[in-house]
């Protein structure tokens, strides 16, 4: 469910959207290397010293086309999402689902678990063409290698999670609305924060294993553990081997990645099997240094606070405008009042509109944190990796060649949708950041 796309399904998805953005901000983008190798020790690297991100003409054409398709798909997907919600309201499907729920039981909890699954599945099925197109594009460019049955299984599992979690949170939302019609937005925001933290905490134990296979890194690649511990010791963050995990990604994608998942007792470092198979040890250490940057620089709690504030503003805007929308069109849509289950798509429609702008702000913050983590990686690996800047740049150069990243992306697309700096900017950082030779003090690792 990565990331994910922008969740537009239930009002609580505003919170889950920020969770997704927050989770994405704790991950470095995939950094593939050239050709499969074993043990992360071989070296089949591009000839010459990397000075900037460039692509041969044919790859540049493909990467530029892929970038344009991705940008258009995101824009169209946003408006299509609005259309889906409008269709549900216009056809009075939400009102019909409410009537069915009320006929099943007078208990509000039971009603929530009848109404919400119907709405989730309706939106999920109507959004399916966009999801299928995005996956088809990934397969066309040979980035996704996941079989369609496996993809369908992941889609079904995601819908199941949305139904279970969504039904509970929708029940809470409408209980709060009925209890406090004027301050429901504030109380729901307060309630959502610990629930969000709990979701992030249990995700490595409950949610992540539903979509990928994890095993201890010490079992799958024991030679990497002592190398990674050199970085953790220099960072002053002893990460025990039992918190280092291998993830099987090669059955779904050619991309590579490393990430920090969870927090507190559930926090762990994840290295994808594609990374171990394709990258050299030096490149993996720079990936790992980036993740250590998130760990050491407090990006987990800083990101949580930032997106909590964003959600506060978003849900308040929803509160301020939902009354106007229902007064204007509620009767035509079969909605009785705000505390009617059928008002949920209307509230979602507003949150989607406001969320589009807020996602751009969130992505800007995420790019800032990712840039900091990149700098930390270069500093913490300095003196451990022989040429950390080149290892860092080399991984992104090959990443761009492998998954066809446009060297000159649309600036509007970058501002709206990129939660990481561009590959061009990251390679430029890798080949130019050298405070030591200038007699300057590093920013983070002194």
């Amino acid at each position: 469910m990565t990331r994910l796309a922008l969740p537009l399904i239930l009002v609580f998805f505003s919170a889950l959207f920020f969770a997704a953005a927050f989770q994405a901000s704790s991950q470095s983008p995939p950094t593939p290397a050239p050709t499969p190798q074993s043990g992360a020790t071989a070296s089949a690297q591009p000839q010459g010293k990397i000075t900037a991100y460039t692509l041969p003409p044919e790859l540049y054409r493909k990467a530029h086309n892929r970038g344009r398709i991705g940008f258009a798909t995101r824009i169209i997907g946003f408006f299509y999402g609005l259309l889906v919600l409008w269709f549900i309201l216009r056809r009075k499907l939400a009102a019909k689902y409410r009537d069915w729920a009320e006929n099943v039981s007078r208990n509000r909890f039971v009603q929530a678990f009848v109404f919400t699954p119907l709405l989730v599945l309706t939106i999920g099925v109507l959004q399916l063409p966009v999801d299928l197109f995005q996956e088809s594009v990934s397969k066309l460019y040979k980035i996704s290698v996941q079989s369609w049955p496996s993809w369908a299984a992941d889609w079904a599992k995601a819908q199941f999670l949305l139904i279970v979690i969504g039904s509970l949170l929708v029940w809470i939302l409408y209980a709060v609305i009925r209890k406090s019609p004027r301050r429901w937005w504030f109380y729901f925001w307060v309630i959502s924060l610990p629930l969000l933290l709990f979701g992030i905490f249990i995700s490595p134990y409950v949610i992540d294993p539903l979509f990928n296979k994890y095993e201890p890194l010490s079992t799958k690649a024991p030679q990497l553990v002592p190398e990674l511990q050199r970085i953790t010791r220099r960072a002053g963050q002893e990460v025990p081997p039992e918190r280092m995990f291998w993830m099987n990604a090669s059955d779904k994608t050619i991309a590579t990645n490393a990430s920090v998942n969870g927090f507190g007792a559930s926090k762990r470092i994840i290295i994808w099997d594609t990374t171990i198979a394709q990258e050299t040890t030096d490149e993996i250490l720079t990936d790992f240094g980036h993740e250590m940057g998130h760990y050491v620089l407090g990006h987990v709690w800083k990101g949580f606070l930032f997106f909590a504030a964003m959600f506060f503003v978003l849900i308040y805007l929803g509160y301020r405008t939902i009354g106007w929308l229902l007064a204007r069109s509620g009767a035509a849509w079969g909605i009785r009042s705000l505390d009617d289950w059928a008002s949920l798509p209307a509230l979602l429609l507003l949150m989607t509109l406001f969320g589009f702008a807020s996602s751009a702000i969130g992505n800007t913050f995420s790019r800032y944190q990712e840039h900091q983590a990149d700098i930390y990686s270069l500093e913490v690996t300095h003196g451990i990796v022989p040429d950390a800047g080149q290892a860092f740049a080399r991984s992104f150069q090959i990443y761009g060649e492998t998954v066809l990243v446009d060297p000159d992306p649309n600036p509007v697309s970058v501002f709206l949708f990129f939660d990481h700096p561009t590959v061009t900017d990251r390679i430029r950082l890798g080949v130019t950041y050298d405070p030591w030779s200038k007699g300057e003090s590093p920013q983070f690792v002194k």
Side-chain angles (χ1 to χ4, degrees):
M1 285 195 307
T2 170
R3 276 244 243 191
L4 324 222
L6 299 179
L8 304 175
I9 298 180
L10 300 167
V11 67
F12 68 87
F13 273 145
S14 300
L16 292 187
F17 158 70
F18 292 124
F22 161 72
Q23 187 79 331
S25 72
S26 69
Q27 297 181 0
S28 58
T31 52
T35 55
Q37 304 166 14
S38 64
T41 57
S43 177
Q45 301 161 359
Q47 297 298 317
K49 190 171 184 178
I50 296 174
T51 58
Y53 176 45
T54 58
L55 292 177
E58 181 63 19
L59 286 185
Y60 180 87
R61 182 185 63 81
K62 291 182 179 180
H64 190 61
N65 288 338
R66 178 175 175 257
R68 290 193 298 176
I69 292 172
F71 178 55
T73 302
R74 286 175 179 264
I75 294 295
I76 293 172
F78 165 70
F79 287 105
Y80 182 74
L82 294 176
L83 179 63
V84 165
L85 295 170
W86 177 85
F87 175 81
I88 290 172
L89 291 166
R90 180 69 175 176
R91 301 298 296 179
K92 297 184 180 180
L93 295 180
K96 182 180 295 185
Y97 297 158
R98 173 206 61 210
D99 293 341
W100 291 354
E102 291 177 346
N103 289 335
V104 168
S105 175
R106 298 183 64 181
N107 184 283
R108 304 294 301 185
F109 185 79
V110 175
Q111 290 177 7
F113 276 80
V114 174
F115 172 83
T116 308
L118 291 170
L119 184 62
V120 166
L121 290 176
T122 299
I123 295 176
V125 170
L126 291 176
Q127 292 274 15
L128 196 54
V130 175
D131 297 337
L132 289 171
F133 177 77
Q134 290 176 331
E135 179 64 13
S136 297
V137 170
S138 292
K139 292 184 183 302
L140 176 66
Y141 284 100
K142 304 185 186 309
I143 297 168
S144 171
V145 296
Q146 186 176 16
S147 67
W148 281 114
S150 173
W151 183 91
D154 282 352
W155 183 89
K157 285 183 281 190
Q159 298 305 306
F160 173 76
L161 287 173
L162 298 180
I163 287 172
V164 173
I165 300 173
S167 297
L168 177 62
L169 293 180
V170 168
W171 171 70
I172 294 173
L173 171 64
Y174 280 86
V176 173
I177 289 176
R178 294 185 183 92
K179 187 71 174 179
S180 180
R182 292 184 177 276
R183 295 184 176 85
W184 63 265
W185 60 276
F186 176 74
Y187 295 136
F188 182 71
W189 175 78
V190 171
I191 294 172
S192 71
L193 298 185
L195 292 176
L196 179 56
L197 278 175
F198 179 71
I200 297 172
F201 177 81
I202 68 169
S203 180
Y205 301 126
V206 179
I207 297 177
D208 295 348
L210 293 176
F211 299 92
N212 294 288
K213 180 181 178 181
Y214 297 85
E215 292 188 35
L217 189 62
S218 58
T219 300
K220 304 298 292 188
Q223 77 283 359
L224 273 180
V225 174
E227 295 296 325
L228 298 179
Q229 286 182 317
R230 296 174 65 194
I231 304 296
T232 63
R233 282 193 292 269
R234 185 170 187 187
Q237 299 284 325
E238 284 294 338
V239 180
E242 55 268 25
R243 288 201 184 189
M244 299 180 183
F245 285 84
W246 166 97
M247 190 189 90
N248 180 25
S250 56
D251 59 345
K252 297 182 180 182
T253 181
I254 66 171
T256 63
N257 202 358
S259 65
V260 175
N261 295 356
F263 78 96
S266 73
K267 186 180 292 183
R268 56 190 58 192
I269 301 291
I270 310 295
I271 307 291
W272 290 13
D273 67 327
T274 48
T275 305
I276 297 171
Q278 298 178 33
E279 292 194 356
T280 65
T281 299
D282 287 351
E283 292 162 0
I284 292 177
L285 291 182
T286 61
D287 296 342
F288 186 73
H290 176 98
E291 303 310 322
M292 277 287 93
H294 289 305
Y295 221 111
V296 174
L297 300 178
H299 287 171
V300 173
W301 66 266
K302 290 178 182 177
F304 176 79
L305 292 177
F306 179 85
F307 290 109
M310 293 278 290
F311 180 47
F312 179 87
V313 174
L314 187 60
I315 197 170
Y316 176 73
L317 291 174
Y319 159 73
R320 295 293 297 180
T321 54
I322 186 62
W324 165 83
L325 183 59
L326 293 184
R328 184 179 182 276
S329 303
W333 294 337
I335 301 173
R336 302 166 187 160
S337 61
L338 177 59
D339 63 1
D340 181 1
W341 300 116
S343 70
L344 183 58
L347 185 58
L348 247 182
L349 186 68
L350 293 171
M351 302 288 276
T352 300
L353 284 169
F354 298 132
F356 186 77
S358 66
S359 68
I361 299 173
N363 284 334
T364 300
F365 177 77
S366 177
R367 289 195 300 272
Y368 169 74
Q369 286 197 324
E370 296 299 330
H371 178 68
Q372 284 190 321
D374 283 345
I375 293 175
Y376 188 91
S377 173
L378 293 168
E379 293 181 354
V380 79
T381 55
H382 179 72
I384 294 178
V385 173
D387 192 340
Q390 276 297 298
F392 181 90
R394 186 167 53 245
S395 65
F396 281 107
Q397 173 65 40
I398 301 169
Y399 166 58
E401 295 176 0
T402 304
V403 298
L404 300 174
V405 177
D406 189 357
D408 304 302
N410 185 329
V412 177
S413 180
V414 173
F415 174 71
L416 292 176
F417 303 123
F418 279 41
D419 57 8
H420 287 71
T422 66
V423 168
T424 298
D425 289 340
R426 301 182 89 168
I427 289 181
R428 184 183 300 116
L429 175 69
V431 300
T432 60
Y433 187 75
D434 187 13
W436 304 277
S437 66
K438 303 173 185 176
E440 300 173 354
S441 176
Q443 291 189 36
F444 304 116
V445 184
K446 305 302 181 181

